[in-house]
Amino acid sequence: MILSEPSRSLCAGTKSLLKSRLLRAAIFAVIISAAVPHLYSYTVKYKEQFYKLYHIHYNQYPDDTMENIYWLERAVEADFCNPLYAMGRITTKDEWEKYRYMFMMHLNLKLVEQHLRLGMKWDKQAAYFYNAPWKEQNLDSLNTAETCYKTALYYWNEAKIWSEKANTKKFKFLFLTDLQFWEDERERIATGELDYERTISRELDRLEKVRADFLAMDENTY
């Protein structure tokens, strides 16, 4: 069965911001590869390899998050490795098919998390009166946060599509026991327990109220 990836259409503004972040992450990767050459002593070309370069930093600075986004997006675009080298034990074609669906689901969920984390770095929880002199800077920051949240929503919709593919009747009694965490994610999406759309919508609504407060400010009155 041919695995067809869902359409990936982002608004022009989101694409522009993503390209900017990816460029910075790519420069970071070049610096790291020069400093630690043994990490790049083999060709990285498959999803599984790019995914292994994604990691959670102790301190999540924006550049750390952008680095993770870079590796995850490369993983989304890359080919799968041979089933022999999959993230879990694969013995049948059906297991291989479900593995690919769940892997794409998992990658998109991680991209949701990273874009939410990135958005929070630029978000403003409230518009305090003493921020009036920096009204425009705060509005720019909110715009960046909004773009991150909307991109997270895009990846959430992608994750749901792949989750549905992995949740058809064909796979009802097929469980990848080596990938229980992915199975749990799939089940939580199916039952509605995991719903990032609710979280993202709440953040966007709050952000819009903060933006309105900033827009109402007179930066010359403080």
Side-chain angles (χ1 to χ4, degrees), residues 16 57 94 96 106 116 137 139 146 152 172 174 201:
S16 177
H57 302 79
D94 284 347
W96 177 233
H106 180 70
L116 282 174
Q137 293 92 324
L139 286 171
E146 181 181 40
K172 185 174 182 180
L174 194 163
S201 296

Side-chain angles (χ1 to χ4, degrees), residues 159-176:
K160 287 196 298 182
I161 291 172
W162 292 109
S163 173
E164 289 169 3
K165 287 178 176 289
N167 208 43
T168 59
K169 291 181 179 180
K170 179 179 181 178
F171 305 121
K172 185 174 182 180
F173 299 106
L174 194 163
F175 297 94
L176 303 182

Side-chain angles (χ1 to χ4, degrees), residues 18 83 95 126 151:
L18 281 176
E95 288 179 345
T151 306

Side-chain angles (χ1 to χ4, degrees), residues 28 32 50-58 60 64-65 67-69 71-72 114:
F28 178 86
I32 292 297
F50 282 116
Y51 177 70
K52 288 178 181 178
L53 293 172
Y54 153 81
H55 57 288
I56 298 297
H57 302 79
Y58 179 73
Q60 284 284 300
D64 297 328
T65 307
E67 178 198 352
N68 272 338
I69 289 173
W71 295 129
L72 289 168
Q114 292 300 303

Side-chain angles (χ1 to χ4, degrees), residues 86-142:
M87 302 289 290
R89 186 168 179 265
I90 303 295
T91 59
T92 69
K93 288 184 178 180
D94 284 347
E95 288 179 345
W96 177 233
E97 183 181 351
K98 186 177 182 181
Y99 166 85
R100 288 178 290 165
Y101 294 154
M102 289 209 303
F103 198 176
M104 289 298 293
M105 173 202 70
H106 180 70
L107 288 173
N108 278 283
L109 284 176
K110 290 303 175 185
L111 280 163
V112 171
E113 294 172 4
Q114 292 300 303
H115 278 88
L116 282 174
R117 191 182 298 274
L118 192 62
M120 290 174 186
K121 298 295 183 180
W122 277 286
D123 201 350
K124 305 296 177 184
Q125 297 299 313
Y128 298 105
F129 75 97
Y130 48 76
N131 292 139
W134 304 280
K135 171 182 173 179
E136 293 304 320
Q137 293 92 324
N138 280 287
L139 286 171
D140 287 343
S141 186
L142 285 173

Side-chain angles (χ1 to χ4, degrees), residues 33-77:
S33 65
V36 194
H38 69 276
L39 290 178
Y40 295 83
S41 58
Y42 67 98
T43 302
V44 179
K45 59 184 294 188
Y46 297 112
K47 288 185 187 295
E48 289 79 0
Q49 293 172 316
F50 282 116
Y51 177 70
K52 288 178 181 178
L53 293 172
Y54 153 81
H55 57 288
I56 298 297
H57 302 79
Y58 179 73
N59 292 309
Q60 284 284 300
Y61 298 111
D63 284 349
D64 297 328
T65 307
M66 286 187 284
E67 178 198 352
N68 272 338
I69 289 173
Y70 174 77
W71 295 129
L72 289 168
E73 289 187 338
R74 291 294 301 274
V76 167
E77 296 167 357

